[in-house]
Amino acid sequence: MPSTGTAVELHGITKRFPGVVANKDVEIVVRTGTVHAVVGENGAGKSTLMKILYGVQRPDEGTITVNGQQVDLRSPTDAIKAGIGMVFQHFMLADNLTVLENVVLGAEKLHGIGAGARKEIERISQAYGLGIRPGDLVADLGVGARQRVEILKVLYRGAKILILDEPTAVLVPQEVDELFDNLAELKSEGLTVLFISHKLDEVLKVADEITVIRRGTTVQTVDPKSVTARRLAELMVGSELPTPQTEDSTVTDEVALRIEGVTLGASAGPKVLDGIDLTIHAGEVVGIAGVEGNGQAELVEVVMGMRDANAGTIMFGHTDITDWHTREIREAGIGYIPEDRHRHGLLLDAPLWENRILGHQTEEPNVNGLLIDAKDAKRDTDRIVQEYDVRTPSIFVTAGSLSGGNQQKLIIGREMSHTPKVLVAAHPTRGVDVGAQSAIWDHIRAARREGLGVLLISADLDELIGLSDTIRVILRGRLSGEFDPDTVTAEELGAAMTGADTGTHADTKEEGA
Amino acid sequence: MSRFEPRRFLLGLAAPVLALLVAVLVTSLILVITGDPVADVWSQMLKAPKPGQATDMINNAVVLYFSAIAVAIGFRMNLFNIGVDGQYRVAAFAAAAVGGQALLPGPLNIVLILLVAMATGALWAGIAAWLKVTRGVSEVISTIMLNSIATGVVAWLLAKVAAEQSAGSNDIGTKRLPDSSHLDGFVLLAGTQKKVYGLIVLAVVVGFLYWFVINRTRFGYDLRATGRSESAAVASGVNVKRMVLSSMLLSGAVAGMVGLPLLLGENYNYGTDFQAGLGFSGIAIALIGRNNAIGIALGALLWSYLDKQAVTLPIATDVDDSIVKIIQGVMVLAVVIAYEVVRRLGKRIEQQQVTRELAAQDRQPVAEGASA
């Protein structure tokens, strides 16, 4: 790899917010033409650091050097001028515009908005193997392609140094591999990539150098060839990791939830869900693997009563809950950990204790007849904060002021507090740091021992394999294949998730029912 | 950290004070530009009102209070009931028409009038709610249109049921309420014979119920949750359609009360001279009062104070009283901006405080757990 000079040097970067130091004496040297990963737990100060490098925030102390020249970045415009571009975790694309329109938006002066821009987009796409067609409508693109459009947007504006903030959080394994191929392409063309992540194996796979951040300061820069994921995690959390323990099966014969022939979508055309048959027993964790957008979200919404299926039945124990409303379903004892906690799990502007009520507005200890029982709800919130180790100064701060991991622990605590018989958990540890992740897994395992049936949707194969008693794969709205997590390999799952094992998945479809 | 935080309280207070200052500043600027006597205008505006005037202000504020509470009910769940104006006029007309028949004796007729007004207001608002729930029509559009339809419907019906025209006037109106149905109120302030509307009591009750239902009941929780995040409310089991319907009906029922103080305490019938436009002031006051029962009361008093002080402005200073409209308009704009600025500021301060306190907890791991 060509590494003639340094693309970015950060020396002694310190950023204080009133009463708190977000970054302290950060030292990072990024060589030109490399992929440099920055890893750290949520809240370790990665985002603040990247905001500083992208000109969103200014450091109180320290220097930033880009390509050998010291720069003063006052705004993202300055950063872009210096050749730094940022690809955010949440895409900023207009669905109803084409790729071309999205790319030129705000950069009309560079190559115009017509043929010139089109040519430039095609050139960049060619040069870096992005496979983007300027005429495509963004609404028609998948997540991976959208991310490539975001990368292209940044390159189009002349960036030579790319910051990717948690780029794999939204991708499935195959897409991650594609992204890594793209990054290799960028690298070989002499571009520099700063890769923010907390997924250690990915970082080890893609990075040329890894800098670990803990509590706002850089701990160490290591060579991925000479370090293990375990060692990295230890650097990140600053302590020894607990060893994952294999547990005996707790699966019983008692059916907790039975989904039969659930179909969603118009009679003509492709169905979002197509004849889903699935049984979850008490004490069993059924994991659903699949490339995002193959019906997982819809399956969850149908089970939770947020959407009505066009056909099929859902049995909760011996009760038919197909036509039940969300509230009745939750009251009956189905807990829900939503995929998007900000949209579906929390009221971000409301204090923690009001969030403790959410989803259980009709249940003890939150209510007293038709009135909200604030006193008991507050007391119980205190208990959840204690038992589930929600790191917060008080239960009166808004949910939005907590970190993602603590928000998630609050949600888990809330759902578990109503002793559900079935838990629908969609990506329960997404965007959550290592410490919170293992705590959440422990809670799910503990509840499973007590006879909880869990429908686990996840994109994290480690999570699926580590938690599930049975793994099913969803592809284009159909359940295909059934795997034993003890023997399945990531490759086998990956093949089933993309339909590469086409010959078998149609035959194995009925097995699980 | 305690429940009551002086900082949050001060931040909350800062917004309206700031907005008022901005309004004064902008208005002064306009007066300077137009060459009007700035000092005279303010000394006139700030002159202590006489007891009679003060009573007028309170009465006007009572009417505005109902209007603003009606709007606030919708606001709390992100529903924009722009149609309070139409709802109260239809309701006041229906209540006057029914009340004028004197179907029930004495106070019972007053109860009937109240119920008819609430039901009619709810019904009129219900049209918009029904359109929204079944057809997805934006309540902003439908309520604005219903305002204009209300004008037509009331004018047409008024012509049908109009009682005799008083001599020398083009005004027509419904039959006058029987004397036993009048609520003349009581003298509140010393030094004047003017009475405060009897329905000020109803306003206090409505204000209390508004606070209680929104903050203390399951229904209120669902309503607030829907306002804060509809997607989260749906996932939590709130039937959003039913919430839209019920909150719109409630809003309409309260809107129906807007005209009652005037009907029962001043006009005694509904005629072409019945006060219009109260619904729109209600929107502004709900914004200024931040959908808070007490805040709205203060906002209504302030609004009414400005309205009434303006009356004497042209006589005393030769400045047109429309300048008050400018003050009010700027105030609403400034208040909306100030609240948003304060909200963001508060959010940022809170986030920093959480980080700081967690860092402090980390330094002394002995003192475990959350201190509430």
Side-chain angles (χ1 to χ4, degrees), chain A residues 17-20 215 304 306 325-327 330 336 338 342-347 349-351 354-362 367 369-374 378 382 385-386 389-398 400-402 406, chain B residues 1-5 8 212 214-222 224-240 242 343 347-359 361-363 368-372:
Chain A
F17 294 113
V20 65
R215 295 185 184 225
M304 291 313 299
M306 293 156 70
H325 188 256
T326 307
R327 175 153 292 165
R330 298 190 72 147
Y336 180 31
H342 288 183
R343 269 172 54 74
H344 291 123
L346 295 168
L347 303 172
D349 293 334
E354 286 195 14
N355 275 287
R356 190 257 169 273
I357 298 173
L358 191 71
H360 305 276
Q361 290 100 308
T362 53
V367 288
L370 286 173
L371 301 184
I372 294 285
D373 189 341
K378 283 171 190 167
D382 268 328
V385 164
Q386 292 275 348
D389 188 32
V390 181
R391 311 289 312 280
T392 173
S394 106
I395 59 166
F396 299 102
V397 301
T398 57
S401 64
L402 297 191
N406 286 309
Chain B
M1 202 191 289
S2 73
R3 214 163 305 207
F4 175 78
E5 289 165 73
R8 197 174 291 176
F212 184 80
I214 295 279
N215 291 297
R216 288 286 184 268
T217 65
R218 262 163 53 180
F219 174 79
Y221 182 91
D222 283 356
R224 281 182 294 137
T226 313
R228 276 173 163 149
S229 164
E230 188 175 321
S231 52
V234 169
S236 83
V238 173
N239 186 337
V240 170
R242 194 183 296 161
R343 191 184 70 82
K347 204 165 147 186
R348 196 176 315 152
I349 292 176
E350 184 180 61
Q351 247 152 20
Q352 285 161 8
Q353 193 179 347
V354 167
T355 325
R356 189 170 61 235
E357 291 193 22
L358 288 182
Q361 276 182 20
D362 278 351
R363 275 194 293 279
E368 254 296 313
S371 57

Side-chain angles (χ1 to χ4, degrees), chain B residues 159-190:
Chain B
K160 287 224 159 222
V161 303
E164 73 288 353
Q165 223 166 293
S166 52
S169 161
N170 287 325
D171 290 343
I172 54 168
T174 58
K175 205 166 162 192
R176 195 177 150 90
L177 300 184
D179 284 354
S180 61
S181 297
H182 295 185
L183 265 181
D184 285 331
F186 48 89
V187 177
L188 187 72
L189 300 174

Side-chain angles (χ1 to χ4, degrees), chain A residues 282-327:
Chain A
E284 183 184 28
V285 177
V286 176
I288 306 284
V291 177
E292 213 149 322
N294 274 286
Q296 298 96 319
E298 289 78 7
L299 177 62
V300 167
E301 286 180 1
V302 167
V303 172
M304 291 313 299
M306 293 156 70
R307 249 171 202 252
D308 289 330
N310 298 79
T313 54
I314 301 170
M315 301 288 292
F316 177 57
H318 298 289
T319 323
D320 185 345
I321 59 164
T322 316
D323 298 325
W324 283 21
H325 188 256
T326 307
R327 175 153 292 165

